[in-house]
Amino acid sequence: MDQLIAIIGDIHSNLEALNVVLDDAKTLGVTNYICVGDIVGYNARPNECCDIIRNLGCVTVCGNHDHYTAANTEDSNDFHPLAAKVIEWTRQQISPENLDWLRKLPYSAIIRGITVVHSTLDGPEHWGYVFEAVEAEPSFAYQHTQLCFHGHTHVPAIFEMHAGLVNRYDPVDFRLVLGHKYFVNVGSVGQPRDGDPRASYCIYNPIQHTIHFRRLPYDLAKAQQQILDAGLPRHLADRLAAGT
Ligand code: ZN
């Protein structure tokens, strides 16, 4: 039987979206998971989301929000003030066990011949953003597997390197071509930013070498209400609905 792998990330404490994604993956026969990081930040259910990912026992790398939430001594000056405010709030909410787990997450990992990173492989701790093909080029120099999954921009995309050239493609289902390398952004479960508010993730079939992108509606109003009830900025609830 094919061992389907769901690759999820940028969950950002959105429990409603995470539950819908995991239910969908299970229904489709997924038995393995990989998490590209940013479990916390922006939304209002950090502990529940950490508990779920920890219980999956899957390979999970550190995102910038995870990193700055766990780094109590470090300030979050690099962040937009709204994001920094949620990081402060998350630090107050998060359990010692989850904080400890976040603190120990690696910047990158290789599992079953697949590389996993939150931002880029050329400087995982610098949190660079890859929107265009030219921005993916330096990462490919450090990618020693055919396939790497990442997140961080909250925009699903495919970056393909062949014969020294990098191309970017919008997310479409595809089969890996031998000799080509792929740096695949799985999009965001909990705060998509490509104008589509539905939760995003990918399924990889390691036998067929195929990648399948998924988009799922979830109870957005409930996630928004949780943000407001927690006293977090209203703008974060509004942008969920806009997918920005
Ligand atoms: Zn993120």
Side-chain angles (χ1 to χ4, degrees), residues 9-12 37-40 42 63-65 118 129 151-154 188 191 193:
D10 292 289
I11 297 154
H12 286 297
D38 268 1
I39 298 100
V40 301
Y42 293 123
N64 50 326
H65 289 252
H118 184 65
Y129 288 90
H152 195 40
T153 62
H154 300 202
S188 171
Q191 196 201 66
R193 292 181 193 159

Side-chain angles (χ1 to χ4, degrees), residues 2-243:
D2 295 351
Q3 293 199 322
L4 299 179
I5 306 170
I7 305 94
I8 60 177
D10 292 289
I11 297 154
H12 286 297
S13 303
N14 189 334
L15 179 63
E16 305 311 311
L18 178 59
N19 279 334
V20 166
V21 161
L22 294 181
D23 282 351
D24 182 67
K26 203 172 166 186
T27 303
L28 293 174
V30 166
T31 51
N32 295 275
Y33 296 85
I34 288 173
C35 179
V36 301
D38 268 1
I39 298 100
V40 301
Y42 293 123
N43 291 281
R45 291 291 180 271
N47 281 311
E48 291 87 338
C49 291
C50 286
D51 289 345
I52 288 171
I53 302 300
R54 282 175 61 197
N55 285 333
L56 286 177
C58 62
V59 162
T60 303
V61 295
C62 184
N64 50 326
H65 289 252
D66 306 322
H67 174 77
Y68 285 106
T69 298
N72 280 322
T73 55
E74 220 166 330
D75 64 15
S76 39
N77 282 341
D78 295 347
F79 279 87
H80 186 282
L82 282 183
K85 191 173 157 66
V86 187
I87 284 175
E88 288 301 324
W89 178 87
T90 304
R91 281 176 182 161
Q92 291 159 19
Q93 304 293 320
I94 198 103
S95 72
E97 294 78 18
N98 284 334
L99 195 65
D100 192 48
W101 175 70
L102 290 177
R103 191 172 287 131
K104 289 174 180 159
L105 294 177
Y107 284 117
S108 65
I110 295 180
I111 173 84
R112 297 177 58 175
I114 301 164
T115 307
V116 189
V117 71
H118 184 65
S119 57
T120 70
L121 291 170
D122 49 310
E125 73 283 15
H126 295 131
W127 316 113
Y129 288 90
V130 175
F131 288 102
E132 305 299 333
V134 66
E135 295 165 322
E137 273 184 34
S139 194
F140 276 109
Y142 295 84
Q143 183 179 323
H144 305 300
T145 59
Q146 186 186 19
L147 182 58
C148 176
F149 289 106
H150 73 289
H152 195 40
T153 62
H154 300 202
V155 177
I158 303 157
F159 298 91
E160 180 188 41
M161 175 175 256
H162 177 57
L165 291 175
V166 178
N167 283 299
R168 179 202 178 279
Y169 302 98
D170 285 334
V172 286
D173 295 352
F174 72 104
R175 185 185 300 269
L176 306 193
V177 176
L178 207 65
H180 296 215
K181 273 185 177 180
Y182 300 90
F183 187 58
V184 176
N185 193 317
V186 301
S188 171
V189 169
Q191 196 201 66
R193 292 181 193 159
D194 59 348
D196 181 347
R198 296 175 300 164
S200 173
Y201 81 104
C202 270
I203 296 175
Y204 177 55
N205 182 326
I207 311 293
Q208 309 284 337
H209 306 287
T210 51
I211 290 178
H212 176 41
F213 287 88
R214 301 283 296 162
R215 294 305 285 258
L216 299 162
Y218 66 94
D219 193 342
L220 216 142
K222 192 169 174 187
Q224 289 178 310
Q225 195 57 50
Q226 289 165 353
I227 289 172
L228 299 177
D229 290 348
L232 294 169
R234 172 172 287 275
H235 173 68
L236 296 174
D238 293 342
R239 74 185 292 185
L240 272 189

